[in-house]
Amino acid sequence: RMTSGVEIARQEGLNQSSVNELLRLTLLSPANVQALLAGHQPKTLTLRWLKNHAFPADWAEQREVFGAFDR
């Protein structure tokens, strides 16, 4: 059981900032994860965008933010 991104990075031999960037993805709503895995996300909603932009943890707010992207 890991208690922090630092601990995960150390254990796995990864860069701490990369681990913390990826941990943010756990905040995505299940519906958004499902759409991403199925390839049904807007064209401009990429992993690069998710890594470089803050997005709300609240799932309803995510729907609003991601709903404003092109389809």
Side-chain angles (χ1 to χ4, degrees):
R1 181 175 170 160
M2 304 289 171
T3 59
S4 69
V6 173
E7 192 175 345
I8 293 169
R10 189 175 298 126
Q11 176 72 27
E12 299 297 324
L14 299 170
N15 182 289
Q16 176 185 342
S17 62
S18 296
V19 170
N20 288 332
E21 283 178 351
L22 293 172
L23 283 174
R24 284 187 332 106
L25 299 178
T26 64
L27 300 175
L28 287 169
S29 75
N32 284 324
V33 171
Q34 203 169 27
L36 288 163
L37 291 174
H40 296 178
Q41 76 279 4
K43 291 178 183 178
T44 54
L45 181 57
T46 63
L47 180 57
R48 178 175 287 184
W49 189 95
L50 290 167
K51 286 176 64 176
N52 293 325
H53 294 84
F55 56 85
D58 180 79
W59 295 349
E61 290 177 26
Q62 285 180 26
R63 233 181 347 266
E64 289 179 29
V65 170
F66 300 149
F69 281 75
D70 63 272
R71 287 271 172 206

